Amino acid sequence: MADTRTATLIIDGKSYDLPMRSPTAGPDVVDIGKLYAQAGVFTHDPGFTSTSSCDSSITFIDGDKGELLHRGYPIDQLAEKSHFLEVCYLLLYGELPSSTELETFEHTITHHTMIHEQMHNFFRGFRRDAHPMATMVGVVGAMSAFYHDSTDVNDPRQREIASHRLIAKMPTIAAMAYKYSIGQPFVYPRNDIDYAANFLRMCFAVPAEEYKVDPVLARAMDRIFTLHADHEQNASTSTVRLASSSGANPFACIAAGIACLWGPAHGGANQACLEMLREIGSTNRIPEFIERAKDKNDPFRLMGFGHRVYKNFDPRAKVMKQSADEVLDLLGIENNPTLQVAKELERIALEDEYFIEKKLYPNVDFYSGIILDAMGFPTSMFTPIFAVARTVGWVSQWKEMIADPALKIGRPRQLYTGATTRDYVEIENR
Ligand code: CMC
């Protein structure tokens, strides 16, 4: 039944009735789409703290309850019972696959993992010391120059192929960026091992010897991918949506998402967090860093703490912490100084009045860095791994948006604070 409720806005004594809409979960929204036409005013919400930007049926977060649902399924159940490619199918198509559907999907993704051989030359154009995220932004953007047959966004079949290519090739691209940075030969993907194991192999194998992927590490890698797969309208996803709203091709739009993810307030936090733990160095220096985080005049923040939406706990962090324990146990890592600092920092921050009052809890990036470090990844690879996992989220949200007949180019307004009209002044008169 159509929602007939309205919200009334009074401006200078004149009332405007604004339609309200109810979601299946989460707060109601006031639709202000016609406000400017009716009242000649804009709304103002930098950072989108109270503004919904689209209709979406993919992912739902309840920040107060610490709940994350993909197509209705809780993330902890997916992390425990499912695996990354099944979650990819769920995000892309809306339902869990039957066994035949899953088999076909896995076969399709596996058989798209190789990249065009000429793209190898593209990697070689970068400096060896380039950050792998810089390389990924370039190479993923360049996919539009290699896969012309999947750039027409108006063709549903081309959109489908582009989605599969992006999910399949992203681990290959991330692993190649890493291999290039350490001067080792690229390792081609294999069709006889799964997505996560393939990624570990492409990162850590060398042609000189056999490489066997440890199943516990492959499972941990798969879980990291699953936990990062989608997170509704976060900064990088909103970037992908905004870029695609102009009709730009999917590879260019996902490259824009990767660029946004790189920042330390978003996906770059996992690298920044581990670097912070190393900088703290020993547990006796923790109070100094806690004081800095609380000091209003110091821009320093405890990386891996806090979240725009989660104000209770980050459900991904809960699973990630358990996974970190399993991996460290397997690898026999107990007295690593970074780990000791992490454990003590977590304990102190969770008891500290400042962090309790501001609802700052360890987020997913706090624990993922610890696992990836233990697996042997350098910190510069942490954010590329996040990008590999988030690709399915970007792609699913992109597909949802493009298929929406109500699609409009995204074009925010502004509250202008600059000079009003003035006449040009000749240079000799300035
Ligand atoms: N350390 C110290 N103080 C903090 C922190 C922190 N990590 N995070 C927030 N605060 C304080 C902040 O100073 C502010 O205080 P006040 O109200 O006195 O001005 C208050 O808490 C609210 O902060 P905010 O910046 O208004 O909150 P936000 O929702 O805009 O920011 C955040 C969310 C994730 C950007 C922020 O918490 C942060 O910078 N955390 C560190 C970076 C990080 O770990 N990011 C990864 C997020 S999870 C993965 C992902 O989504 O990419």
Side-chain angles (χ1 to χ4, degrees):
M1 210 172 67
D3 202 331
T4 53
R5 291 170 313 150
T6 53
T8 306
L9 177 68
I10 302 171
I11 305 170
D12 298 334
K14 197 165 172 212
S15 303
Y16 299 92
D17 287 337
L18 303 168
M20 293 195 60
R21 292 183 56 199
S22 294
T24 48
D28 291 345
V29 304
V30 179
D31 183 345
I32 54 151
K34 300 221 163 40
L35 183 63
Y36 177 58
Q38 288 170 356
V41 297
F42 297 147
T43 54
H44 187 61
D45 182 20
F48 297 99
T49 52
S50 305
T51 299
S52 137
S53 61
C54 60
D55 285 33
S56 183
S57 62
I58 302 174
T59 292
F60 174 73
I61 301 173
D62 184 328
D64 295 325
K65 277 204 236 155
E67 185 177 66
L68 166 61
L69 309 177
H70 291 322
R71 305 285 190 183
Y73 296 103
I75 189 66
D76 49 333
Q77 290 185 24
L78 293 173
E80 194 198 322
K81 299 183 177 169
S82 182
H83 62 275
F84 183 64
L85 282 188
E86 186 175 68
V87 172
C88 287
Y89 185 99
L90 174 69
L91 288 168
L92 277 173
Y93 302 110
E95 295 297 337
L96 287 169
S98 67
S99 49
T100 324
E101 285 165 339
L102 181 60
E103 205 177 302
T104 309
F105 182 68
E106 287 181 336
H107 183 273
T108 305
I109 297 299
T110 305
H111 288 78
H112 272 299
T113 49
M114 285 204 308
I115 61 166
H116 193 294
E117 193 67 10
Q118 209 178 321
M119 285 180 85
H120 290 215
N121 301 329
F122 208 88
F123 280 87
R124 296 198 167 94
F126 287 94
R127 283 172 53 143
R128 292 264 180 207
D129 59 359
H131 193 288
M133 283 297 275
T135 310
M136 283 181 81
V137 172
V139 174
V140 173
M143 283 174 79
S144 42
F146 287 90
Y147 301 104
H148 300 146
D149 58 344
S150 51
T151 53
D152 179 358
V153 298
N154 298 314
D155 178 342
R157 180 63 190 140
Q158 292 207 23
R159 295 204 295 267
E160 182 88 349
I161 298 171
S163 309
H164 292 161
R165 281 188 169 138
L166 280 157
I167 295 166
K169 295 183 198 307
M170 204 62 82
T172 314
I173 292 171
M176 286 174 75
Y178 172 52
K179 284 299 199 191
Y180 182 74
S181 73
I182 55 170
Q184 286 189 3
F186 297 137
V187 175
Y188 288 87
R190 291 182 61 127
N191 290 346
D192 59 346
I193 52 176
D194 69 32
Y195 192 88
N198 223 336
F199 178 64
L200 288 174
R201 193 176 165 279
M202 287 190 286
C203 287
F204 296 124
V206 287
E209 60 189 32
E210 269 306 307
Y211 178 83
K212 271 230 162 329
V213 183
D214 187 304
V216 177
L217 296 187
R219 174 76 187 127
M221 191 75 248
D222 189 88
R223 224 177 231 183
I224 289 178
F225 288 153
T226 301
L227 292 174
H228 286 88
D230 191 41
H231 217 222
E232 48 121 308
Q233 310 312 321
N234 56 85
S236 57
T237 302
S238 299
T239 301
V240 171
R241 279 187 179 259
L242 193 57
S244 349
S245 73
S246 71
N249 80 69
F251 305 110
C253 297
I254 301 300
I258 297 174
C260 176
L261 184 77
W262 195 359
H266 192 8
N270 52 14
Q271 170 169 358
C273 177
L274 204 89
E275 286 168 359
M276 176 195 76
L277 296 175
R278 285 189 183 145
E279 192 193 342
I280 298 174
S282 67
T283 50
N284 56 11
R285 290 193 66 207
I286 292 176
E288 179 196 323
F289 282 81
I290 296 262
E291 283 319 303
R292 281 188 62 196
K294 293 185 199 172
D295 182 354
K296 281 249 157 281
N297 300 316
D298 189 331
F300 174 78
R301 286 186 169 200
L302 275 193
M303 300 315 284
F305 280 81
H307 198 274
R308 168 64 63 80
V309 185
Y310 295 122
K311 300 298 174 195
N312 185 334
F313 67 94
D314 179 341
R316 302 167 302 169
K318 218 170 152 188
V319 183
M320 200 67 92
K321 185 176 184 190
Q322 190 193 336
S323 210
D325 290 339
E326 279 169 29
V327 170
L328 297 173
D329 207 34
L330 173 86
L331 299 174
I333 300 172
E334 277 167 23
N335 293 320
N336 170 315
T338 315
L339 184 65
Q340 282 173 356
V341 170
K343 282 190 169 159
E344 187 59 7
L345 183 65
E346 180 196 18
R347 191 188 67 75
I348 295 176
L350 288 177
E351 287 173 1
D352 190 289
E353 220 17 73
Y354 173 92
F355 288 86
I356 294 170
E357 193 216 316
K358 294 194 185 301
K359 302 185 174 186
L360 301 171
Y361 298 87
N363 58 46
V364 69
D365 291 326
F366 187 72
Y367 302 106
S368 63
I370 295 169
I371 306 182
L372 294 172
D373 180 51
M375 281 177 167
F377 284 105
T379 52
S380 61
M381 275 304 286
F382 293 5
T383 318
I385 289 169
F386 192 157
V388 169
R390 183 54 55 85
T391 298
V392 64
W394 294 328
V395 163
S396 305
Q397 304 259 355
W398 164 74
K399 274 184 75 200
E400 179 180 68
M401 189 183 98
I402 299 285
D404 184 350
L407 170 65
K408 262 191 176 152
I409 187 166
R411 193 355 181 139
R413 301 295 193 150
Q414 63 173 6
L415 191 164
Y416 179 64
T417 57
T420 50
T421 314
R422 49 184 173 166
D423 286 328
Y424 181 78
V425 181
E426 298 300 335
I427 196 156
E428 57 277 15
N429 298 331
R430 286 176 214 160

Coordinates of all heavy atoms in Angstrom, one line a residue, residues 236-302:
S236 N 33.2 4.6 -1.0 CA 33.7 4.2 -2.4 C 32.5 3.7 -3.2 O 32.5 3.9 -4.4 CB 34.7 3.0 -2.2 OG 34.2 2.0 -1.4
T237 N 31.5 3.1 -2.6 CA 30.3 2.6 -3.3 C 29.5 3.8 -3.8 O 29.1 3.8 -5.0 CB 29.4 1.7 -2.4 OG1 30.2 0.7 -1.9 CG2 28.2 1.2 -3.1
S238 N 29.4 4.8 -3.0 CA 28.7 6.1 -3.5 C 29.5 6.7 -4.6 O 28.9 7.3 -5.5 CB 28.6 7.0 -2.3 OG 27.8 6.5 -1.3
T239 N 30.9 6.6 -4.6 CA 31.7 7.1 -5.7 C 31.4 6.3 -7.0 O 31.2 6.9 -8.0 CB 33.2 7.0 -5.3 OG1 33.4 7.7 -4.1 CG2 34.1 7.4 -6.4
V240 N 31.3 5.0 -6.8 CA 31.0 4.2 -8.0 C 29.7 4.6 -8.6 O 29.5 4.8 -9.8 CB 31.1 2.7 -7.7 CG1 30.5 1.8 -8.8 CG2 32.5 2.2 -7.3
R241 N 28.7 4.7 -7.7 CA 27.3 5.1 -8.1 C 27.3 6.5 -8.8 O 26.7 6.7 -9.9 CB 26.3 5.1 -7.0 CG 25.8 3.7 -6.6 CD 24.7 3.9 -5.5 NE 24.2 2.6 -5.1 CZ 23.0 2.1 -5.5 NH1 22.3 2.8 -6.4 NH2 22.6 1.0 -5.1
L242 N 28.0 7.4 -8.2 CA 28.0 8.8 -8.8 C 28.7 8.8 -10.2 O 28.2 9.4 -11.1 CB 28.7 9.8 -7.8 CG 28.6 11.2 -8.1 CD1 27.1 11.6 -8.1 CD2 29.3 12.1 -7.0
A243 N 29.9 8.1 -10.2 CA 30.6 8.0 -11.5 C 29.7 7.3 -12.5 O 29.7 7.8 -13.7 CB 31.9 7.2 -11.3
S244 N 29.0 6.3 -12.2 CA 28.2 5.5 -13.2 C 27.0 6.3 -13.6 O 26.4 6.0 -14.6 CB 27.8 4.1 -12.7 OG 28.5 3.7 -11.6
S245 N 26.5 7.2 -12.7 CA 25.3 7.9 -13.0 C 25.4 8.7 -14.3 O 24.4 9.1 -14.9 CB 24.8 8.8 -11.9 OG 25.7 9.9 -11.8
S246 N 26.6 9.0 -14.8 CA 26.8 9.7 -16.0 C 26.8 8.7 -17.2 O 26.9 9.2 -18.4 CB 28.1 10.4 -16.0 OG 29.2 9.5 -16.1
G247 N 26.7 7.4 -17.0 CA 26.7 6.4 -18.0 C 28.2 6.0 -18.4 O 28.4 5.3 -19.4
A248 N 29.1 6.4 -17.5 CA 30.5 5.9 -17.8 C 30.6 4.4 -17.7 O 29.8 3.7 -17.1 CB 31.4 6.6 -16.7
N249 N 31.7 3.9 -18.4 CA 31.8 2.4 -18.4 C 32.2 1.8 -17.1 O 32.8 2.5 -16.3 CB 32.7 2.0 -19.6 CG 34.2 2.1 -19.2 OD1 34.7 1.4 -18.3 ND2 34.9 3.1 -19.7
P250 N 31.8 0.5 -16.8 CA 32.0 0.0 -15.5 C 33.5 -0.1 -15.0 O 33.7 0.1 -13.8 CB 31.5 -1.5 -15.6 CG 31.4 -1.7 -17.1 CD 31.2 -0.4 -17.8
F251 N 34.4 -0.3 -15.9 CA 35.8 -0.4 -15.5 C 36.3 1.0 -15.0 O 37.0 1.0 -14.0 CB 36.7 -0.9 -16.7 CG 36.2 -2.2 -17.2 CD1 35.6 -2.3 -18.5 CD2 36.2 -3.4 -16.5 CE1 35.1 -3.5 -19.0 CE2 35.7 -4.6 -17.0 CZ 35.2 -4.6 -18.2
A252 N 35.9 2.0 -15.7 CA 36.3 3.4 -15.2 C 35.7 3.7 -13.9 O 36.3 4.3 -13.0 CB 35.8 4.4 -16.3
C253 N 34.4 3.3 -13.7 CA 33.7 3.6 -12.4 C 34.3 2.8 -11.3 O 34.4 3.3 -10.2 CB 32.2 3.2 -12.6 SG 31.4 4.2 -13.8
I254 N 34.7 1.5 -11.5 CA 35.3 0.7 -10.4 C 36.7 1.3 -10.1 O 37.1 1.3 -8.9 CB 35.3 -0.8 -10.8 CG1 33.9 -1.3 -11.0 CG2 36.0 -1.6 -9.7 CD1 32.9 -1.2 -9.9
A255 N 37.4 1.8 -11.1 CA 38.7 2.4 -10.8 C 38.5 3.6 -9.9 O 39.3 3.9 -9.0 CB 39.3 2.9 -12.1
A256 N 37.4 4.4 -10.1 CA 37.1 5.5 -9.2 C 36.8 5.0 -7.8 O 37.2 5.7 -6.8 CB 35.8 6.3 -9.8
G257 N 36.1 3.9 -7.7 CA 35.8 3.3 -6.3 C 37.1 2.9 -5.6 O 37.3 3.2 -4.4
I258 N 38.1 2.3 -6.4 CA 39.3 1.9 -5.8 C 40.1 3.2 -5.3 O 40.6 3.2 -4.2 CB 40.2 1.2 -6.9 CG1 39.5 -0.1 -7.3 CG2 41.6 0.9 -6.3 CD1 40.2 -0.9 -8.4
A259 N 40.0 4.3 -6.1 CA 40.7 5.5 -5.7 C 40.1 6.0 -4.3 O 40.9 6.4 -3.4 CB 40.6 6.5 -6.8
C260 N 38.8 6.0 -4.2 CA 38.2 6.4 -3.0 C 38.5 5.5 -1.8 O 38.7 6.0 -0.7 CB 36.7 6.5 -3.2 SG 35.8 7.0 -1.7
L261 N 38.5 4.2 -2.1 CA 38.8 3.3 -1.0 C 40.1 3.5 -0.3 O 40.3 3.2 0.8 CB 38.7 1.8 -1.5 CG 38.8 0.7 -0.5 CD1 37.5 0.6 0.3 CD2 39.2 -0.6 -1.2
W262 N 41.1 4.0 -1.1 CA 42.5 4.1 -0.7 C 42.7 5.0 0.5 O 43.6 4.8 1.3 CB 43.3 4.6 -1.9 CG 44.7 4.5 -1.8 CD1 45.5 4.0 -0.8 CD2 45.7 4.9 -2.8 NE1 46.8 4.0 -1.1 CE2 47.0 4.6 -2.4 CE3 45.5 5.5 -4.1 CZ2 48.1 4.9 -3.1 CZ3 46.7 5.8 -4.8 CH2 47.9 5.5 -4.3
G263 N 41.8 6.0 0.7 CA 42.0 6.9 1.8 C 42.0 6.3 3.2 O 41.3 5.3 3.4
P264 N 42.8 6.9 4.1 CA 42.9 6.2 5.5 C 41.6 6.3 6.3 O 41.5 5.5 7.2 CB 44.0 7.1 6.1 CG 44.1 8.3 5.4 CD 43.7 8.0 4.0
A265 N 40.7 7.1 6.0 CA 39.4 7.1 6.7 C 38.5 6.0 6.3 O 37.5 5.6 6.9 CB 38.7 8.4 6.6
H266 N 38.9 5.4 5.1 CA 38.0 4.3 4.6 C 38.9 3.0 4.5 O 39.5 2.6 5.5 CB 37.5 4.8 3.2 CG 36.5 3.9 2.5 ND1 35.8 2.9 3.1 CD2 35.9 4.0 1.3 CE1 34.9 2.4 2.3 NE2 35.0 3.1 1.2
G267 N 39.1 2.4 3.3 CA 39.8 1.2 3.2 C 41.3 1.3 3.6 O 41.9 0.3 4.0
G268 N 41.9 2.5 3.4 CA 43.3 2.6 3.8 C 43.5 2.5 5.3 O 44.7 2.5 5.7
A269 N 42.5 2.4 6.1 CA 42.6 2.3 7.5 C 43.4 1.0 7.9 O 44.1 1.0 9.0 CB 41.3 2.4 8.2
N270 N 43.2 -0.1 7.2 CA 43.9 -1.3 7.6 C 45.4 -1.2 7.5 O 46.1 -1.6 8.5 CB 43.3 -2.6 6.8 CG 43.4 -2.4 5.3 OD1 44.0 -1.5 4.8 ND2 42.6 -3.3 4.6
Q271 N 45.9 -0.5 6.5 CA 47.3 -0.3 6.4 C 47.8 0.7 7.5 O 48.7 0.5 8.3 CB 47.7 0.3 5.0 CG 49.1 0.8 5.0 CD 49.6 1.1 3.6 OE1 48.9 1.0 2.6 NE2 50.9 1.6 3.5
A272 N 47.0 1.8 7.6 CA 47.3 2.8 8.6 C 47.3 2.2 10.0 O 48.1 2.6 10.9 CB 46.3 4.0 8.5
C273 N 46.4 1.3 10.3 CA 46.2 0.7 11.6 C 47.5 -0.1 12.0 O 48.0 0.1 13.1 CB 45.0 -0.1 11.7 SG 44.8 -0.9 13.3
L274 N 47.9 -1.0 11.1 CA 49.1 -1.8 11.4 C 50.3 -0.9 11.5 O 51.2 -1.1 12.4 CB 49.3 -2.9 10.4 CG 50.1 -4.0 11.1 CD1 49.2 -5.0 11.8 CD2 51.0 -4.7 10.2
E275 N 50.4 0.1 10.7 CA 51.6 1.0 10.8 C 51.6 1.8 12.1 O 52.6 2.0 12.8 CB 51.6 2.0 9.6 CG 52.1 1.2 8.4 CD 51.9 2.0 7.0 OE1 51.4 3.1 7.0 OE2 52.3 1.4 6.0
M276 N 50.3 2.1 12.6 CA 50.2 2.7 13.9 C 50.7 1.8 15.0 O 51.4 2.2 15.9 CB 48.8 3.2 14.1 CG 48.5 3.8 15.5 SD 46.7 3.8 15.8 CE 46.3 2.1 16.2
L277 N 50.2 0.5 14.9 CA 50.6 -0.4 16.0 C 52.1 -0.6 16.0 O 52.7 -0.7 17.1 CB 50.0 -1.8 15.7 CG 48.4 -1.9 15.8 CD1 47.9 -3.2 15.4 CD2 47.9 -1.5 17.2
R278 N 52.7 -0.6 14.9 CA 54.2 -0.7 14.8 C 54.9 0.5 15.4 O 55.9 0.5 16.0 CB 54.7 -0.9 13.4 CG 54.4 -2.4 13.0 CD 55.0 -2.6 11.6 NE 54.7 -4.0 11.2 CZ 54.5 -4.3 9.9 NH1 54.6 -3.5 9.0 NH2 54.2 -5.6 9.6
E279 N 54.3 1.7 15.1 CA 54.8 3.0 15.6 C 54.7 3.0 17.1 O 55.7 3.4 17.8 CB 54.1 4.1 15.0 CG 54.8 5.5 15.2 CD 53.9 6.7 14.9 OE1 52.9 6.5 14.2 OE2 54.2 7.8 15.4
I280 N 53.6 2.5 17.6 CA 53.5 2.5 19.1 C 54.6 1.6 19.7 O 55.3 1.9 20.6 CB 52.1 2.0 19.5 CG1 51.0 3.0 19.0 CG2 52.0 1.8 21.0 CD1 49.6 2.5 19.3
G281 N 54.8 0.4 19.0 CA 56.0 -0.4 19.3 C 55.9 -1.2 20.5 O 56.3 -2.4 20.5
S282 N 55.6 -0.6 21.7 CA 55.5 -1.5 22.9 C 54.4 -1.0 23.8 O 53.9 0.2 23.7 CB 56.9 -1.4 23.7 OG 57.0 -0.1 24.2
T283 N 53.9 -1.9 24.6 CA 52.7 -1.6 25.4 C 52.8 -0.3 26.3 O 51.9 0.4 26.6 CB 52.2 -2.8 26.2 OG1 53.4 -3.2 26.9 CG2 51.7 -3.9 25.4
N284 N 54.1 -0.1 26.8 CA 54.2 1.1 27.7 C 54.0 2.4 27.0 O 53.9 3.5 27.6 CB 55.5 1.0 28.5 CG 56.7 0.9 27.5 OD1 56.6 1.1 26.3 ND2 57.9 0.6 28.1
R285 N 54.0 2.4 25.6 CA 53.8 3.7 24.9 C 52.3 3.9 24.6 O 51.9 5.0 24.1 CB 54.6 3.7 23.6 CG 56.1 3.8 23.9 CD 56.8 4.2 22.6 NE 56.5 5.5 22.1 CZ 56.6 5.9 20.8 NH1 57.0 5.0 19.9 NH2 56.3 7.1 20.4
I286 N 51.4 2.9 24.9 CA 50.0 3.1 24.5 C 49.4 4.3 25.2 O 48.7 5.1 24.5 CB 49.2 1.8 24.9 CG1 49.7 0.7 24.0 CG2 47.7 2.0 24.8 CD1 49.1 -0.7 24.2
P287 N 49.6 4.6 26.5 CA 48.9 5.7 27.1 C 49.2 7.0 26.4 O 48.3 7.8 26.2 CB 49.5 5.8 28.5 CG 49.9 4.4 28.8 CD 50.3 3.8 27.5
E288 N 50.4 7.2 25.9 CA 50.8 8.4 25.2 C 49.9 8.5 23.9 O 49.4 9.6 23.6 CB 52.3 8.2 24.8 CG 52.9 9.3 24.0 CD 54.2 8.7 23.3 OE1 55.0 7.9 24.0 OE2 54.5 9.1 22.2
F289 N 49.7 7.4 23.2 CA 48.9 7.5 22.0 C 47.4 7.7 22.3 O 46.7 8.3 21.5 CB 49.1 6.2 21.1 CG 50.4 6.3 20.3 CD1 51.7 6.0 21.0 CD2 50.5 6.7 19.0 CE1 52.9 6.1 20.3 CE2 51.7 6.8 18.3 CZ 52.9 6.5 19.0
I290 N 47.0 7.1 23.4 CA 45.5 7.3 23.8 C 45.3 8.7 24.1 O 44.3 9.3 23.7 CB 45.2 6.4 25.0 CG1 45.4 4.9 24.7 CG2 43.9 6.8 25.6 CD1 44.1 4.2 24.4
E291 N 46.3 9.4 24.8 CA 46.1 10.8 25.1 C 46.1 11.6 23.8 O 45.3 12.6 23.7 CB 47.3 11.3 26.0 CG 47.1 10.9 27.5 CD 45.7 11.0 28.0 OE1 45.1 12.1 27.9 OE2 45.1 10.0 28.4
R292 N 47.0 11.3 22.9 CA 47.0 12.0 21.6 C 45.6 11.9 20.9 O 45.1 12.8 20.3 CB 48.1 11.5 20.7 CG 49.5 12.0 21.1 CD 50.5 11.6 20.0 NE 50.2 12.1 18.7 CZ 50.7 11.7 17.5 NH1 51.5 10.7 17.5 NH2 50.3 12.3 16.4
A293 N 45.1 10.7 20.9 CA 43.8 10.5 20.2 C 42.7 11.3 20.8 O 41.7 11.7 20.2 CB 43.4 9.0 20.3
K294 N 42.8 11.6 22.1 CA 41.7 12.4 22.8 C 42.0 13.9 22.7 O 41.0 14.6 23.0 CB 41.8 12.0 24.3 CG 41.4 10.6 24.7 CD 41.3 10.6 26.2 CE 41.4 9.2 26.7 NZ 41.6 9.2 28.2
D295 N 43.2 14.3 22.3 CA 43.5 15.7 22.3 C 42.9 16.4 21.1 O 43.2 16.0 19.9 CB 45.1 15.8 22.3 CG 45.5 17.2 22.3 OD1 44.7 18.1 22.2 OD2 46.8 17.5 22.4
K296 N 42.0 17.3 21.4 CA 41.3 18.0 20.3 C 42.2 18.8 19.3 O 41.9 19.0 18.2 CB 40.3 19.0 20.9 CG 39.0 18.5 21.4 CD 37.9 18.9 20.5 CE 36.7 18.0 20.5 NZ 36.8 16.8 19.8
N297 N 43.4 19.1 19.9 CA 44.4 19.9 19.0 C 45.3 19.0 18.3 O 46.2 19.5 17.5 CB 45.2 20.9 19.9 CG 44.3 21.8 20.7 OD1 43.4 22.4 20.0 ND2 44.5 22.0 21.9
D298 N 45.2 17.7 18.4 CA 46.1 16.8 17.7 C 45.2 16.0 16.7 O 44.2 15.4 17.1 CB 46.7 15.8 18.7 CG 47.8 15.0 18.1 OD1 47.7 14.7 16.9 OD2 48.7 14.5 18.8
P299 N 45.6 16.1 15.4 CA 44.7 15.4 14.4 C 44.8 13.9 14.5 O 44.0 13.2 13.8 CB 45.3 15.9 13.1 CG 46.7 16.3 13.4 CD 46.8 16.7 14.8
F300 N 45.7 13.3 15.3 CA 45.9 11.9 15.4 C 44.6 11.2 15.8 O 43.9 11.6 16.8 CB 47.0 11.6 16.4 CG 47.2 10.1 16.7 CD1 47.8 9.3 15.7 CD2 46.6 9.5 17.8 CE1 47.9 7.9 16.0 CE2 46.8 8.1 18.0 CZ 47.4 7.4 17.1
R301 N 44.3 10.1 15.2 CA 43.1 9.2 15.6 C 43.6 7.8 15.7 O 44.5 7.4 15.0 CB 42.0 9.2 14.5 CG 41.3 10.5 14.5 CD 40.1 10.4 13.5 NE 39.3 11.6 13.8 CZ 38.0 11.7 13.4 NH1 37.4 10.7 12.8 NH2 37.3 12.8 13.7
L302 N 43.0 7.1 16.6 CA 43.4 5.6 16.7 C 42.8 4.9 15.5 O 41.6 4.8 15.4 CB 42.8 5.0 18.0 CG 43.5 5.2 19.3 CD1 42.9 4.2 20.3 CD2 45.0 4.9 19.2

